[in-house]
Amino acid sequence: MKTVRSSAFFFMMLLGLSGCAAGSQAYVPDQADASLHTPTALVETLQKAPERPYKVLAKLHASAPAGTPAAQVIALLTKRAASLGADAIIIHNESRSVPAQVQFNPSGGNYSEQPAQIMPIYSAEAIRWLPLHKPSS
């Protein structure tokens, strides 16, 4: 009886954990030491490298399941960059299209079409501004 209870408990735990993994979450690897700079409150989002001098603090990557809004993934990158003390991030859109799919519903015996969706995948460089050099007089 005890073996049946522990097996049932283990199965329920696995089922619960698999449900948590199905949400729209993004992954941002930790590639930098967050203690190097004070976290910033405002991080600019740039589409290309700025002309102003800067240094790269970290290379970040975030992706989420198809259908997740791109703004949600970019917000995660921005939040991570702020925790590293970045002044801005340079965004690179690597999103891809997931083709339309036809799925069979065995309980109803019919087919349903899932439309094509975009899987948001972004990489970014978290950057910090360098001091501007003033010409000497």
Side-chain angles (χ1 to χ4, degrees):
M1 184 71 167
K2 189 173 186 178
T3 305
V4 172
R5 281 189 196 168
S6 61
S7 296
F9 177 75
F10 180 73
F11 177 74
M12 294 303 288
M13 289 295 293
L14 282 177
L15 188 62
L17 289 175
S18 65
C20 293
S24 60
Q25 300 174 1
Y27 169 70
V28 181
D30 293 327
Q31 293 185 344
D33 183 7
S35 64
L36 293 178
H37 301 285
T38 304
T40 52
L42 180 63
V43 175
E44 292 180 63
T45 303
L46 308 173
Q47 300 297 321
K48 62 179 185 172
E51 294 182 20
R52 183 177 174 180
Y54 64 91
K55 72 174 183 174
V56 175
L57 298 179
K59 294 187 184 283
L60 306 173
H61 179 80
S63 62
T68 304
Q72 183 177 341
V73 179
I74 293 170
L76 287 168
L77 289 169
T78 304
K79 183 177 179 181
R80 178 66 181 131
S83 71
L84 297 172
D87 294 315
I89 55 173
I90 306 168
I91 294 285
H92 305 285
N93 186 350
E94 301 166 2
S95 299
R96 61 179 179 204
S97 178
V98 176
Q101 299 175 357
V102 176
Q103 294 180 335
F104 178 70
N105 181 351
S107 64
N110 57 358
Y111 290 91
S112 63
E113 184 176 344
Q114 301 295 325
Q117 295 182 330
I118 301 294
M119 179 181 291
I121 304 169
Y122 288 88
S123 62
E125 288 97 27
I127 64 172
R128 189 163 177 90
W129 302 125
L130 293 175
L132 297 173
H133 297 293
K134 295 181 181 178
S136 55
S137 306

